[in-house]
Amino acid sequence: FAAVDVIAKKRDGHELTEEEINWTIDAYTKGEVVDEQMSALAMAIFLKGMNREEIKAWTAAMLASGKRLDFSSLSKPTADKHSTGGVGDKITLPLGPLVAAFGVAVPQLSGRGLGHTGGTLDKLEAIPGWRANLSNDEIFQLLDHGPGAVVCAAGADLAPADRKLYALRDTTATVATIPLIASSIMSKKIAEGTAALVLDVKVGSGAFMKEESQAKELAQTMVDLGADFGVKTTALLTDMNTPLGLTVGNALEVRESLEVLAGGGPADVVDLTVRLAEEMIQAAGKDASGVRAALQDGRAMDKWREMILAQGGEVDAPLPVARHTEQVQASESGTIVSMDALQVGLAAWRLGAGRERQSDSVQAGAGVEIHAKPGEQITAGSPLFTLHTDTPEKFEAALAELSAAVKISAGPVEGGIVAAGTEL
Ligand code: URA
């Protein structure tokens, strides 16, 4: 095969064969198909799409580019959750220990944030000493004999083709397309070795999928891929027009997760955590009654402490705080009708919570604290947001992102308000 022929075939709207796909991914992993060729192919796929057979072959090839972990010899069943990415989505933090408290092993191989969406590893790294890189043996040990929940970086040997391709897509405007998202997520999750997988597919302004119909198609594609590769996969569609919870940013989101693990925290975060935990525990074949109680009575918090300590985290150390803050006030009185997740995510990113290039570091303390959410009454001059950063020169850019993020209505609100994380 020649890369240029494969690109031209997709450019002209034709179906790629399994052989062509296998060859392309293999050659790309080895560096024989170069980045500019893969970029062109990704754009052709973005514009022309792929059918189910092509997506399956593409996923299989990405999976075959690396190792596949196998937890079948563990003494417990495994289940994992994957979110397609959102703003303020810290659910993995309370969820892993909560599910582990029910005797289910949770091998959460996670990523870092890029652009306006946060990454679980960046959040946990706000905890002094916490270590994201574990060997496959360590993961196995922690699942079988340790806390039973592990959040760590995917090793370089899991779906290496995706690692390269994802970085390329991010810089070539080829992220938001179903074949590439579905194969990217599922190749990593299948390689991770979980037996059951619950997908939280986000819909709305802060998600890759802005429309419910697209999100449904993405969810169905991933559920089908799970079935193809023997991973029991289910999916929820949840709202991401509004940020989840009251914090966006790394240490800020850890703080809020601790509130949830202590039996408090914002209702949208608690409700989605409980819903996903029940789904995972059931998928693993265990009894899911009493999930909410496990947040109240400290069982989930005990697991959290074990999990953080096991990865070197100083579980009682104070979390980092940003050096500078600035408050944003409501300009009018009334009911908050909407709060745009994308704009709040971009503001947090500008403040230093996210990165522009993969090699950038993030500020642990940076982000946006939210004081009132859609559905709440607010009076002019009362606080809406507190911005946190170590680089105060970024306040202006963050304020610009937030300038149109909140809609306030003086009169009655028609049609009701959907809370962040609501199942659609
Ligand atoms: N998350 C991934 O891992 N891959 C994508 O393509 C999109 C979100």
Side-chain angles (χ1 to χ4, degrees), residues 82 84 162 166 169 175 180-181 184-185 188 208:
H82 186 83
T84 56
D162 179 64
Y166 192 75
R169 286 165 58 210
V175 171
L180 296 180
I181 295 176
S184 163
I185 291 175
K188 280 178 290 200
F208 290 124

Side-chain angles (χ1 to χ4, degrees), residues 36-96:
E36 46 269 41
Q37 291 173 316
M38 195 49 133
S39 305
L41 182 57
M43 186 57 83
I45 293 169
F46 189 101
L47 296 171
K48 301 291 175 169
M50 271 184 164
N51 66 24
R52 276 281 298 122
E53 286 309 307
E54 291 175 286
I55 297 174
K56 182 177 169 185
W58 189 272
T59 305
M62 297 233 286
L63 189 56
S65 73
K67 267 198 194 157
R68 185 170 176 178
L69 300 184
D70 180 4
F71 293 122
S72 58
S73 64
L74 279 189
S75 56
K76 305 172 228 184
T78 47
D80 191 11
K81 181 263 326 185
H82 186 83
S83 155
T84 56
V87 176
D89 185 355
K90 72 274 297 170
I91 302 292
T92 293
L93 277 60
L95 182 67

